[in-house]
Amino acid sequence: MICVDLHLHTRFSFDASINPRYVADSLNAHPVIKGVAITDHNTLEGYSHVRRFASAYPDVVIIPGVEVGTTMGDVLVLGVLEKPAYWASLESAIDFAKARDGVLIVPHPYRGGGIRDAARKIPNGLGAIEVLNPDSSEEENRLSELLSKTTNLPGVGGSDAHHVSQMWKAYTEIDADPNVESILKAIKNGKVKAVLAKA
């Protein structure tokens, strides 16, 4: 079992300020969360920096990812080392993830930038729905949970942190070994539980 924040931005996102070194150091010091997916907007640069700093810590796992804007809204693609085209169609983002054996996560489906019910186009076994996002309202998270159930896509959690004060507020318990391949496989197989961190 490993606890992973599946949605975090660094200063390489246009709207974020978190230093990559701080992510690595904070993750190492955290008593529960030992993995993070770096999901900067339309770039993988933050991931490469966090991974470099985290190499000093053998117990933490850094997952490559990107939050990409599609014509329908934003999606996260995890487990890839390249990014899909900006403002591509949702269908092409799905094909991109599938071709690279990545995981496609729908962040905050019912908040600004969310793809809403278009998430129903995502095939089972490819991804998950973010059902716990601290910046979403209770109603938005409730609708996301309902979407997860009706699509049979696993429900996951992530902090969606853009600033230090937002880090680690939500995460996912994953029944997996502490490595990227095992974590991604477990997400696809639904061996996950979304958790809101205690204040």
Side-chain angles (χ1 to χ4, degrees):
M1 179 75 70
I2 183 170
C3 295
V4 183
D5 184 339
L6 290 173
H7 188 179
L8 186 138
H9 299 266
T10 75
R11 64 181 176 83
F12 290 95
S13 282
F14 68 91
D15 55 354
S17 62
I18 303 172
N19 185 298
R21 182 189 290 275
Y22 185 83
V23 175
D25 292 346
S26 175
L27 190 62
N28 179 59
H30 200 283
V32 175
I33 301 170
K34 290 299 170 186
V36 66
I38 303 300
T39 53
D40 284 315
H41 292 286
N42 303 301
T43 179
L44 284 141
E45 193 166 354
Y47 159 74
S48 62
H49 288 279
V50 174
R51 185 169 178 251
R52 178 166 50 88
F53 291 125
S55 64
Y57 306 126
D59 295 334
V60 305
V61 179
I62 311 300
I63 301 168
V66 60
E67 182 165 354
V68 62
T70 76
T71 53
M72 296 297 293
D74 296 338
V75 293
L76 308 179
V77 184
L78 306 186
V80 297
L81 293 172
E82 56 186 312
K83 58 181 182 167
Y86 175 65
W87 217 241
S89 69
L90 176 59
E91 289 79 8
S92 68
I94 291 169
D95 290 343
F96 178 92
K98 195 183 295 183
R100 289 157 183 81
D101 204 25
V103 170
L104 196 141
I105 294 178
V106 180
H108 47 75
Y110 295 100
R111 207 179 75 215
I115 68 170
R116 306 183 76 81
D117 290 348
R120 298 180 189 283
K121 296 180 178 182
I122 297 168
N124 288 334
L126 180 65
I129 306 287
E130 185 180 75
V131 298
L132 275 182
N133 181 305
D135 282 342
S136 295
S137 68
E138 282 187 28
E139 177 66 6
E140 288 164 342
N141 281 330
R142 187 190 69 76
L143 289 170
S144 300
E145 179 78 39
L146 184 61
L147 182 65
S148 166
K149 287 176 178 167
T150 58
T151 57
N152 206 29
L153 290 168
V156 297
S159 67
D160 194 7
H162 286 66
H163 309 287
V164 167
S165 62
Q166 301 169 315
M167 291 172 67
W168 319 134
K169 288 190 173 182
Y171 58 93
T172 306
E173 289 180 357
I174 304 175
D175 185 7
D177 294 327
N179 64 72
V180 172
E181 184 179 0
S182 181
I183 289 168
L184 296 179
K185 184 177 179 183
I187 295 171
K188 288 180 179 180
N189 291 330
K191 296 180 177 180
V192 294
K193 179 185 174 187
V195 179
L196 201 57
K198 294 183 175 74

